[in-house]
């Protein structure tokens, strides 16, 4: 279990992120067309998992904007922005913001993502949502970087995550 904070108050996740060097756990999430997507769908690419509670908050929206801009030109790389928001809300946000260089995925229905990555918030006002975290996976499916953001209201370290890709 990871201990993080939400606006300074201690909260916990259900576990800890996969360790660097381990094979990334597979998952099932839902895309904007309501199709299932798995980690296997992105095999052979470098993958950035930008994970957050809700796209309808300022910090979460900022992380989607930042990864859209910073990772746009990276070779053989896909950024997956993952939350429990409905795919319709994710799509509406990206359309309104002109965001097209990330893929939004939702854990709104039957999914194993938060269990596989151990990042569901276990207590506090955001219990049940995903914690803010970044996981970078190489072309062979190995975890090369993780960041469990210690304060949910803070943005992740974009530069460190993207440096792990090269």
């Amino acid at each position: 279990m990871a201990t993080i904070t939400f606006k300074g108050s201690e909260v916990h996740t259900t576990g800890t992120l996969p360790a660097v060097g381990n094979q990334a756990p597979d998952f099932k999430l839902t895309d904007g067309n309501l199709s299932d997507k798995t980690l296997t769908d992105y095999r052979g690419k470098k993958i950035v998992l930008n994970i957050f509670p809700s796209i309808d908050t300022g910090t979460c929206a900022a992380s989607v904007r930042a990864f859209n801009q910073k990772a746009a030109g990276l070779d053989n790389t896909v950024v997956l922005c993952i939350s429990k928001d409905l795919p319709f809300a994710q799509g509406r946000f990206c359309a309104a913001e002109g965001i097209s260089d990330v893929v939004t995925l939702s854990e709104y229905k039957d999914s194993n993502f938060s269990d596989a990555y151990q990042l569901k918030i276990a207590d506090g006002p955001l219990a049940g949502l995903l914690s803010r975290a970044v996981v970078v996976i190489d072309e062979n499916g190995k975890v090369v970087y993780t960041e469990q953001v210690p304060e949910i209201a803070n943005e992740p370290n974009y530069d460190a995550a993207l440096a792990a890709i090269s």
Side-chain angles (χ1 to χ4, degrees), residues 57-163:
T57 67
T59 306
C60 300
S63 74
V64 173
R65 286 185 204 104
F67 274 119
N68 182 68
Q69 178 184 26
K70 293 175 181 281
L74 296 177
D75 187 43
N76 196 37
T77 302
V78 61
V79 177
L80 306 180
C81 295
I82 302 167
S83 69
K84 287 202 170 202
D85 293 298
L86 290 173
F88 316 114
Q90 293 171 333
R92 183 178 60 248
F93 171 83
C94 289
E97 295 279 332
I99 292 173
S100 60
D101 292 318
V102 299
V103 175
T104 56
L105 297 173
S106 174
E107 190 188 45
Y108 85 99
K109 63 179 184 177
D110 183 34
S111 172
N112 64 343
F113 180 77
S114 59
D115 292 333
Y117 285 78
Q118 295 293 300
L119 44 61
K120 188 184 302 179
I121 299 170
D123 52 18
L126 300 180
L129 295 178
L130 306 179
S131 66
R132 184 175 319 288
V134 176
V135 177
V136 179
I137 303 165
D138 72 10
E139 302 96 319
N140 300 311
K142 293 233 185 228
V143 176
V144 296
Y145 174 85
T146 64
E147 177 189 10
Q148 173 64 71
V149 179
E151 166 56 57
I152 295 171
N154 292 344
E155 292 181 58
N157 186 336
Y158 304 110
D159 294 335
L162 295 176

